Amino acid sequence: MTRRRKLFALAITLPLAVAVGVGLKVRRASSDTLGADACDKDLAAVFELCAPGGEVCEKPPEGQGEACQAGCVMARCPNHVACTELDPIWCKPCEDEHGALYWRNLDAADRHCGGPPPFGSLTRLKEYSDCYIADVERRCPALVGTKWYVPSDRR
C-alpha cells in the first residue's frame, strides 16, 4: 500500500475507532470528579452524572443509553453494583454492547488512554486510538478480531 493510501485509510479508520467511544464525552466535565464517598453517600448523584444525554454518556447509540449509564456507574462504584436476576444489564458478558461491563470497559479505556484529543494531531489521535482499542481488548479478550470499534450499523 502506498503512503498516500495508508494516510487515507488512517484518516477514515481513526474516526471510526474513536466513534466507538460514542456516549463517552471527549473531555471530562468538572462534575465528573465526584467525591470518594459519593457511592456511599449519594449514589443517585453518580447515576445522574452517568445518565444518557448527560456528562459522561452524552450520545450513546440508539437503545444503549441504559447500558452506558450502568457501565459508567459500574466504573465509578464497583462495590455498589452486582449481577442479579432483577436487572440482567449487570450480568451480560463484556462483549455485549447492551451490558454494563462492555461500557465500563470503554469508559475505563478512555480514562486510561487520556481521552481523544479534541482537535489534536493525527499522530496523537492514532496514539489514542491504538491505546484505546488495545486496552478494551485486554479487558475483554472476546472482542479481539471482532471490529467492535466500528459502529454496529457498519459492521
Side-chain angles (χ1 to χ4, degrees):
M1 195 182 280
T2 67
R3 179 175 167 83
R4 185 179 204 155
R5 284 187 182 168
K6 285 181 184 178
L7 286 174
F8 179 74
L10 184 65
I12 298 295
T13 306
L14 285 176
L16 290 176
V18 172
V20 168
V22 294
L24 300 178
K25 195 164 184 168
V26 173
R27 284 181 285 162
R28 299 291 173 206
S30 58
S31 61
D32 193 12
T33 57
L34 293 173
D37 59 351
C39 296
D40 293 322
K41 292 186 176 179
D42 194 3
L43 192 56
V46 178
F47 273 88
E48 185 177 322
L49 170 75
C50 296
E55 304 268 340
V56 178
C57 293
E58 187 177 23
K59 295 178 185 176
E62 183 83 26
Q64 295 179 16
E66 188 178 328
C68 182
Q69 181 181 32
C72 173
V73 171
M74 183 184 269
R76 284 152 184 78
C77 302
N79 297 328
H80 290 75
V81 297
C83 175
T84 67
E85 291 179 14
L86 299 175
D87 193 351
I89 201 165
W90 307 103
C91 305
K92 296 185 186 244
C94 65
E95 68 271 17
D96 188 333
E97 296 172 341
H98 294 92
L101 190 54
Y102 176 85
W103 287 92
R104 193 254 354 234
N105 288 343
L106 296 184
D107 187 33
D110 181 64
R111 289 169 170 261
H112 171 79
C113 298
F119 295 102
S121 71
L122 194 57
T123 302
R124 171 65 183 109
L125 185 59
K126 179 168 177 14
E127 288 171 1
Y128 169 77
S129 178
D130 291 346
C131 174
Y132 183 79
I133 291 170
D135 195 66
V136 170
E137 290 179 352
R138 179 186 58 78
R139 294 170 191 276
C140 183
L143 290 173
V144 174
T146 64
K147 297 200 183 233
W148 59 270
Y149 45 85
V150 176
S152 58
D153 61 334
R154 295 185 184 160
R155 284 186 217 147

